[in-house]
Amino acid sequence: MTKYIFITGGVVSGLGKGIAAASLGLILKSRGLKVVNQKFDPYLNIDPGTMNPYQHGEVFVTDDGAETDLDLGHYERFTDATLSQSSNTTAGRVYLAVLNKEREGGFHGGTVQVIPNVTEEILRRMLLSTAETNADVIITEIGGTVGDIESLPFMEAIRQIKYKVGEENCCYIHLTLVPYMHKSGELKTKPTQHSVKELQELGIKPNIVMLRTECPVDDATREKLASFCNVETACVIQNLNAESIYEVPLKMEKEGLGKAVCDVLGIKNTTTHLEAWAKMVDRFYHPAKAVTIALVGKYIELHDAYLSVVESLTHGGIYNEAAVTVDWVDAETLTDDEVTENRLGKADGIIVPGGFGDRGIEGMIRAAKFARIRKIPYFGICLGMQIEVIEFARNILNYENANSTEMNKNTAYPVIDLMPDQNGVILGGTLRLGKYECKVTAGTLTEKAYGTSTIWERHRHRYEFNNKYREEFKRAGLIIAGINPERDLVEICEVPDHPWMLGVQFHPEFKSRPNRAQPLFRDFISAACEYRMTHSVLSGKTGEAK
């Protein structure tokens, strides 16, 4: 019988439910169980695809082309899973399904209500992963906090589910904040008590209470909370701050989270196999080298907008035993070549990630030019590849003001453009989403990285390399290192006479893992390490980690 775990949050948002859910997934997987994570978000958007990155952070894309919450990235990175559309549901998607069914006569003229109609749709989706994956354990994170009006149907659904699958097959984990009052030197448990009480008033009794805290929780506090929250003392689990999110599963296992969950669900508490993960964390904490990567973007005020990119840089650092420092550079501040040189002159590598719209584009082009001329490793992702192409067109092909038609519809040299079959399609319908095949050119940096001639990577973009200019770029030396065979679209470009300057139209960051760095990120960090060592004498830097 499949077991179901539900993780809710209380007191405040941003406590790290996603990391907790991902960590628990890894802990249970290390016991030999097949685990699937999913998230239910109470907002009314259909998905985060059209949401402002400043509000929601990055959009994580699955193999099947679903635009999902960034927590799915944590789930995949921790459990090495390949998730799908069914792993992320929003209230908007639920209500849309219910209303469409009503319009189609699916309720036979009956009154449509939150209970039972909306909750039944939520329950159907919660159980969908079971049918699709045949998992031993389904871990469901409920977005938001207990008490939010919009999350009430989801809370009611997880209350009801125990009557469908059996109470013995359900485990409820409530994550709350235990603040530390520095003036008095006290941990305060009252917020947790009130949050658990509010959850119980909704008919949900938590089996495990997880305490997000910056200070260790003493035994007396655990016993006090266990008594007030009506749980066993062993089921009061502290979730202490960690320097790296990848240490959290190790801390949680040491705290007894895995055993507590197994006891609640009647699962045999077998030996865990977290040795490889612990070794990876040890490599992170003990680097032999150090590099600085300038991330030139347009959403840098919210670092979560580039979460998977930064994590992938960290993975590349772990593989190369290098501490990676990300220097956040607002592309709009790179107003001329002198400013660009002063701002990027200390970087060991430059990365330009994805994005939409024309803000900051000229600064990104200056960053790409600086990387090309100074032979600094450059990695362009999605928009970053298009920037690489535009810069090459302007300064090598001498196509004055060459651009993307996304930025300038009237450019004389539309080296990046919509393809003919995209014209006239409504916004959203033109995006190339999900996993696509790419044929890799022999003898390229890309082939060296992947070690194969065929790769599959995830996409999220609208504009493409304009094939009308392909031969002109090739004659000027630009290396077309990857092609989508289905539509003959350029996927990868490499700049010649440069140690490592590469752009990809896809998003390789979505498939990187902490203990298995994505090949391009691995080699980009390797090139940055080499650049730092080569230029250490001239720059006065050292290649060693502090």
Side-chain angles (χ1 to χ4, degrees), residues 235-379:
C235 290
V236 178
I237 307 291
Q238 69 174 355
N239 186 347
L240 276 169
N241 291 351
E243 184 179 340
S244 167
I245 59 173
Y246 300 122
E247 189 183 3
V248 174
L250 303 177
K251 284 178 171 287
M252 292 291 91
E253 176 61 17
K254 187 176 180 180
E255 284 293 316
L257 177 62
K259 182 180 184 304
V261 169
C262 288
D263 289 345
V264 170
L265 293 173
I267 298 172
K268 185 179 179 181
N269 185 29
T270 56
T271 304
T272 60
H273 297 283
L274 290 168
E275 299 84 3
W277 192 270
K279 185 177 180 181
M280 176 273 294
V281 172
D282 184 69
R283 285 171 68 90
F284 170 81
Y285 282 134
H286 300 94
K289 297 166 282 190
V291 289
T292 297
I293 303 298
L295 189 154
V296 182
K298 58 174 65 180
Y299 314 120
I300 64 167
E301 289 88 349
L302 181 66
H303 293 180
D304 273 359
Y306 302 112
L307 180 61
S308 290
V309 170
V310 174
E311 291 304 315
S312 298
L313 292 171
T314 298
H315 305 165
I318 292 170
Y319 180 91
N320 287 283
E321 297 184 89
V324 178
T325 298
V326 175
D327 181 14
W328 298 89
V329 181
D330 185 344
E332 287 188 286
T333 65
L334 305 180
T335 53
D336 57 45
D337 290 345
E338 183 179 356
V339 170
T340 301
E341 181 171 359
N342 290 335
R343 186 67 183 83
L344 302 180
K346 295 182 179 179
D348 304 307
I350 297 170
I351 188 166
V352 178
F356 295 91
D358 61 357
R359 184 169 61 85
I361 294 302
E362 294 302 320
M364 295 178 189
I365 293 171
R366 291 188 183 97
K369 178 183 177 182
F370 181 76
R372 179 177 57 80
I373 293 173
R374 293 300 183 90
K375 309 292 186 185
I376 301 172
Y378 173 94
F379 193 8

Side-chain angles (χ1 to χ4, degrees), residues 58 67 70 80 98 164 192 222 257 266-267 270 280 289 293 298 303-304 314 334 336 347 397 412 459 461 518 530 532:
E58 78 168 7
E67 295 177 287
L70 58 80
D80 197 18
V98 171
K164 289 183 175 290
T192 295
R222 284 179 191 262
L257 177 62
I267 298 172
T270 56
M280 176 273 294
K289 297 166 282 190
I293 303 298
K298 58 174 65 180
H303 293 180
D304 273 359
T314 298
L334 305 180
D336 57 45
L397 287 170
H459 296 64
H461 68 280
Q518 202 280 341
E530 187 173 342
R532 185 180 182 101

